[in-house]
């Protein structure tokens, strides 16, 4: 019995052609990312109106002014290396300072 490689090649080519070309699956456009305004309790501590204090040198007087303007019942000042609880409290205003006691970030939590 003689073996002819070409006799195997022709059926394989025919099988490959019979599957046909498939169109790529259409994809829907991804939904837009959520906006900060859409997230509930994102500003429960009043951080939004006091963002202009970022970059200022921190003082107790400035802390009181931030607390008054934000309306936050709880204010926490965090310096680099400070131990802090990891519980998230949307109504607590966190004032993050850098190593020079300059306000780096103000956020709820």
């Amino acid at each position: 019995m003689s073996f002819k490689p070409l006799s195997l090649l022709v059926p394989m080519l025919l099988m490959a052609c019979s599957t046909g070309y498939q169109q790529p699956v259409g994809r829907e456009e991804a939904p837009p990312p959520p906006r900060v305004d859409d997230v509930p309790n994102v500003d429960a501590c009043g951080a939004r109106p006091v963002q202009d204090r970022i970059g200022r040198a921190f003082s107790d007087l400035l802390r009181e002014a931030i607390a008054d303007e934000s309306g936050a019942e709880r204010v926490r000042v965090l310096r680099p290396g400070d131990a802090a609880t990891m519980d998230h409290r949307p109504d607590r205003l966190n004032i993050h300072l850098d190593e020079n006691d300059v306000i780096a970030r103000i956020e709820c939590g």
Side-chain angles (χ1 to χ4, degrees), residues 20-28:
Y21 174 76
Q22 294 181 352
Q23 291 284 342
V25 176
R27 297 182 185 228
E28 294 179 22

Side-chain angles (χ1 to χ4, degrees), residues 79-106:
R79 291 179 170 82
D82 279 357
T85 60
M86 296 304 292
D87 62 322
H88 181 74
R89 295 179 176 245
D91 61 329
R92 177 175 54 204
L93 183 74
N94 292 318
I95 302 172
H96 296 268
L97 306 179
D98 67 11
E99 49 280 336
N100 298 316
D101 263 7
V102 172
I103 298 174
R105 193 168 75 238
I106 301 173

Side-chain angles (χ1 to χ4, degrees), residues 4-82:
K4 297 182 181 181
L6 189 58
S7 65
L8 292 176
L9 184 61
V10 172
M12 290 171 61
L13 287 174
L14 289 174
M15 285 178 24
C17 291
S18 68
T19 59
Y21 174 76
Q22 294 181 352
Q23 291 284 342
V25 176
R27 297 182 185 228
E28 294 179 22
E29 191 172 318
R35 294 173 33 101
V36 173
D37 298 341
D38 297 339
V39 180
N41 297 328
V42 74
D43 198 32
C45 69
R48 192 170 288 138
V50 294
Q51 294 298 305
D52 62 331
R53 303 323 197 285
I54 295 174
R56 293 189 186 180
F58 180 76
S59 68
D60 288 332
L61 188 61
L62 185 55
R63 179 194 184 284
E64 289 177 29
I66 290 172
D68 287 344
E69 189 174 335
S70 68
E73 291 183 30
R74 299 176 185 168
V75 177
R76 176 169 65 171
V77 178
L78 298 167
R79 291 179 170 82
D82 279 357

